[in-house]
Amino acid sequence: MAPYESDRTAGAEGLPDEADDVRAGRRKAARYVVPVAVVGVAAATIGLVPALADSGDPSLPKITAEQLIEKIAKSDVQQLSGTVKVSTDLGLPSLGGLESGMLSGVTKGSGGSSADPQSKLMELASGTHTVRVAADGPDKAKVSVLENAAEYSIIHNGNDVWAYDSKSNEVYHSTAPAAEKGQEKAPKDVPTTPKQLADEALKSVDDTTSVTVDGTAQVAGRDAYKLLIKPKQSGSTVGAITVAVDAKTGVPLKFTLVPTSGGAAVVDAGFTQVAFAKPAASTFDFTPPKGAKVTEGKDSKDSKDSKNSKDSKNSKDSKAPESAPSRGDLGKGLDGLKTVGKGWSTIAEFDTGGQGMPSGSSSEGGNVSGFLNSLGDHVKGKFGSGTVFSTRLVNALITDDGKVYAGAVTKDALVKAANAAH
C-alpha cells in the first residue's frame, strides 16, 4: 500500500460537494455523452490528453483524500503560465485524412471558419499535442496549440474572445460578459489543462467511487500528491483516474485516465513547465493580421442577454451549454434524453425518431458511412438488432429502429440496457 494512501472511499459524507451537486454534475455530464457519432462523444467527454513520466518521489506530509480534494477546491491560483503536453489514444482505426476530417467536421462551426474553437477542438482528440497556456485573473487567458510551423490560439481578454489559425490565416471573434469571481479562467470550449479535466472527473465522485491518495510524484519540477479515483462498479470502461496535485498551491498538474482494457492511457495531460507568476500584459493582446479572414461569432448577443435577463439565465443554466461541441445539431432531437444506471455505469438513452445508423456500401454518406462501419460491431437482442460503435473509452449502441444507448461502459452493458428497455 502506498505510504500516503487513505482508506476512505467517496460517499455522501467524505467529500466537500453535496450529494445533490454530485448528481447534478452527473446529469450535466450525461448530456455530453449523447453522440452524433462515437468520435464526437469521446472527444467531448474527454476533452484533451499525453504520456508524461513522473520523476522522483518527494517526501511530503501525510494527507487524506478528503484533505487533498479540499485543497483542490480551495486553490485560487489566478496567474500562471506554462506548457502542457497532451495526447489522446481512443483506439480509432487509422484511416488517413478521413479520421482528421471526421474529427474536425463533426462540429464544424456554423460560420465555416477553421479558427472556430468548436471545430478546432475535435482535431485535438487524437495524437499528441503541445499546448501553451497563460492566465491572469478570470478575464485574461490564452491557449496556444503548436503544430509544426503553425499555431492555433484562443485569447480571452476582457469581453473579447479571439481565435486565430495561422495555417489558414483565419480569425474567429466572439464576445462574452466579463467573468465574475469563481467562473472559469479559460475559454470553456477548450479544456486543455489538468485542472479542467480534474474538475470534470470530480463531478462524478459519489458512493460508487473509491478515492485515495496514492503516493507522491514530481511533475514539471514541483512536488505533488497523487489522487487516485477508481469506479467501484463493474461495467465501466474507466479503469482509474490519477490526478497529480501541486503540494503547495493545490493546482492539478497532471491528469491520467487509464481504461479497464489496459494498455496506454486514453487521456494523459500534464505540465512540462509551469510558473505561478503574472504573465506579461502583452500575452493577451491580439490584432487580426493583415489579410486575415475574420468571422464574427453569433453568440455575442446571446451572451449579453443571458447576463441581463434573470429568466434567461435560470432557463439555460440547468442545461448543457448550447455551444457544447458534442451536441452539434442534435439539440432538436434530445428532448427525450434520459439516463439509466448509476455513477460510472450511467448510460444515456434517447430516441432519434428515425432509422439507425446507415450501413453497407450502398448507403448514403460515402466515407463517413464507411468510417462509422469500420468502428461498428453488429449485435442482436430483445431490441432486435443494432450496431455498437466503440472507442477505448466511450461506446454507443444504435439500434435499427433509431434508439441510442451511450456511455463510458462496455458493449455488454449497452446490450443489457437495451434489452431491459424492451
Side-chain angles (χ1 to χ4, degrees):
M1 178 176 292
Y4 298 100
E5 184 171 14
S6 166
D7 291 330
R8 293 292 300 274
T9 55
E13 298 179 353
L15 299 174
D17 292 335
E18 295 294 330
D20 286 344
D21 292 336
V22 171
R23 285 192 291 269
R26 290 206 311 272
R27 287 195 297 269
K28 179 179 179 182
R31 290 181 178 272
Y32 293 93
V33 176
V34 181
V36 70
V38 173
V39 179
V41 184
T45 303
I46 307 168
L48 300 177
V49 294
L52 303 175
D54 294 330
S55 61
D57 189 10
S59 297
L60 295 170
K62 290 185 178 181
I63 190 172
T64 67
E66 292 79 12
Q67 289 171 331
L68 188 52
I69 292 175
E70 187 88 16
K71 193 176 187 70
I72 297 173
K74 289 183 177 179
S75 179
D76 190 31
V77 172
Q78 296 286 314
Q79 300 170 333
L80 66 81
S81 59
T83 302
V84 180
K85 193 172 183 181
V86 296
S87 67
T88 310
D89 185 1
L90 294 173
L92 298 176
S94 177
L95 298 176
L98 177 59
E99 179 179 341
S100 60
M102 276 289 296
L103 291 174
S104 62
V106 168
T107 57
K108 187 73 172 177
S110 58
S113 172
S114 68
D116 187 337
Q118 291 189 44
S119 61
K120 201 66 178 180
L121 172 62
M122 304 304 290
E123 297 180 18
L124 302 178
S126 64
T128 299
H129 304 271
T130 298
V131 181
R132 288 178 181 165
V133 299
D136 183 9
D139 294 329
K140 291 185 178 181
K142 182 176 182 178
V143 176
S144 297
V145 183
L146 310 180
E147 297 177 346
N148 299 322
E151 179 176 325
Y152 174 78
S153 296
I154 298 178
I155 305 99
H156 177 199
N157 193 342
N159 290 338
D160 290 304
V161 178
W162 296 94
Y164 176 59
D165 184 358
S166 68
K167 186 176 182 180
S168 63
N169 198 28
E170 291 193 23
V171 175
Y172 184 88
H173 175 247
S174 63
T175 59
E180 297 176 0
K181 185 177 181 181
Q183 288 185 337
E184 292 286 343
K185 300 177 179 62
K188 295 182 180 181
D189 283 341
V190 186
T192 52
T193 67
K195 174 173 171 50
Q196 291 168 320
L197 293 165
D199 287 346
E200 290 302 310
L202 290 175
K203 289 179 183 178
S204 300
V205 170
D206 61 6
D207 58 1
T208 68
T209 310
S210 167
V211 182
T212 58
V213 178
D214 189 27
T216 63
Q218 250 197 6
V219 179
R222 297 185 66 87
D223 294 346
Y225 291 102
K226 294 194 295 184
L227 185 69
L228 181 63
I229 304 171
K230 297 180 68 174
K232 294 196 295 186
Q233 303 167 294
S234 61
S236 174
T237 54
V238 177
I241 293 173
T242 302
V243 181
V245 182
D246 187 73
K248 184 175 181 180
T249 66
V251 172
L253 299 175
K254 184 181 177 185
F255 176 98
T256 305
L257 188 157
V258 178
T260 53
S261 59
V266 173
V267 178
D268 192 5
F271 281 99
T272 56
Q273 296 178 330
V274 65
F276 299 102
K278 182 181 177 69
S282 59
T283 302
F284 311 103
D285 293 337
F286 181 79
T287 300
K290 184 178 180 180
K293 175 187 175 182
V294 180
T295 301
E296 290 291 336
K298 297 180 180 180
D299 57 338
S300 302
K301 183 177 184 300
D302 292 339
S303 297
K304 294 176 182 178
D305 289 346
S306 178
K307 182 181 180 182
N308 296 331
S309 171
K310 183 177 181 180
D311 291 339
S312 174
K313 180 179 180 181
N314 290 338
S315 65
K316 291 182 179 180
D317 284 355
S318 61
K319 300 179 180 180
E322 292 185 4
S323 61
S326 64
R327 295 188 64 182
D329 295 327
L330 281 179
K332 301 175 183 178
L334 297 185
D335 291 339
L337 173 67
K338 64 178 181 179
T339 60
V340 295
K342 180 181 179 182
W344 299 87
S345 297
T346 299
I347 296 172
E349 174 187 341
F350 73 97
D351 192 341
T352 63
Q355 298 298 315
M357 296 299 293
S359 60
S361 58
S362 62
S363 65
E364 296 182 3
N367 288 339
V368 172
S369 175
F371 176 79
L372 293 176
N373 275 285
S374 71
L375 297 175
D377 184 9
H378 297 285
V379 294
K380 294 183 178 180
K382 294 180 180 179
F383 53 87
S385 61
T387 305
V388 175
F389 298 100
S390 302
T391 71
R392 297 176 65 215
L393 185 65
V394 178
N395 298 319
L397 166 60
I398 305 179
T399 63
D400 287 349
D401 61 358
K403 290 185 174 59
V404 178
Y405 304 84
V409 297
T410 63
K411 178 181 73 174
D412 290 343
L414 294 176
V415 172
K416 182 178 180 180
N419 282 332
H422 285 74

